[in-house]
Amino acid sequence: PAAPAAERRRYLDQMLSLANPDYLGHLSRFRVALAHRNAALRQGRPELAEPFGPALARHGAALIAARLGWVQDTAAQFAAECDGLGELAPVGLEYRGRLELADPEAWTPALRESLARDQVLRSTGIGPHRDDLTVTIGGRGSREFGSTGQQRGAAIALRLAASVVISASRGTEPVLLLDDVFAELDDERQ
């Protein structure tokens, strides 16, 4: 099974691909460049990894910028949806990663700085493929400190908020399917 951070990145990628037609193209090109760079690192050929830096910079920066924008656009709606589901504590969305990499110019020095570590690990250690989306409840990470009901409520609120953002960006109402929504919610939240 995928790690929780990988699942959250996949969720972001899916939502942004639906909301922004250019996002999927950047994601695909970034993944191709990343795969080639990582293959060169696994072969112990850093000189072959270097030419993929410009593609990583262009497409990786676009991904990070879009993710940051999505979090900013969605945070207030997410808080409103949580409130509507009965969450009393303040909630938040936060994008975690090297935010300076939203600027393509920041990639060259960052890749240079991480090259020795990347060679040891045989993979690229910086970029949107390492970033995370964090949901906080009461100022603390929901996965670590939220109850099962709070986590479930936050997941529902996130999907509701995303549907509003997608609707606004695409000009059409998306179909939202939720399976067994009430399973882990207490009576008041139901």
Side-chain angles (χ1 to χ4, degrees):
E7 292 173 13
R8 291 186 294 272
R9 283 190 298 272
R10 186 173 54 245
Y11 169 79
L12 272 175
D13 290 339
Q14 289 171 344
M15 290 302 106
L16 283 161
S17 293
L18 291 171
N20 179 349
D22 295 331
Y23 186 86
L24 186 58
H26 287 296
L27 180 63
S28 297
R29 290 179 191 98
F30 177 81
R31 287 180 174 169
V32 167
L34 180 66
H36 288 303
R37 184 175 194 274
N38 286 344
L41 291 169
R42 281 191 302 275
Q43 295 170 11
R45 306 280 310 269
E47 73 281 3
L48 296 178
E50 187 177 338
F52 297 102
L56 289 175
R58 178 172 183 242
H59 302 295
L63 296 177
I64 293 170
R67 289 175 178 182
L68 286 168
W70 187 87
V71 168
Q72 290 171 350
D73 292 346
T74 307
Q77 186 65 40
F78 171 69
E81 297 295 348
C82 284
D83 184 55
L85 290 171
E87 181 55 58
L88 302 176
V91 298
L93 282 179
E94 186 178 329
Y95 186 72
R96 295 205 175 163
R98 292 189 57 176
L99 305 185
E100 74 274 12
L101 294 180
D103 176 4
E105 299 298 319
W107 279 79
T108 299
L111 286 170
R112 193 176 308 121
E113 176 185 302
S114 70
L115 183 59
R117 183 172 176 254
D118 291 351
Q119 286 177 280
V120 170
L121 298 175
R122 297 180 176 251
S123 69
T124 305
I126 62 166
H129 62 292
R130 299 287 189 205
D131 295 350
D132 199 359
L133 175 68
T134 303
V135 174
T136 59
I137 300 174
R140 299 165 68 167
S142 66
R143 290 192 56 83
E144 298 85 10
F145 299 104
S147 70
T148 303
Q150 285 177 313
Q151 290 177 22
R152 182 70 171 176
I156 294 166
L158 194 55
R159 283 167 180 76
L160 292 170
S163 72
V164 171
V165 172
I166 290 170
S167 176
S169 68
R170 302 291 286 200
T172 184
E173 291 289 323
V175 174
L176 181 63
L177 301 174
L178 301 172
D179 183 29
D180 204 11
V181 174
F182 302 114
E184 296 173 8
L185 299 178
D186 58 31
D187 290 338
E188 188 174 321
R189 289 176 198 258
Q190 287 179 18

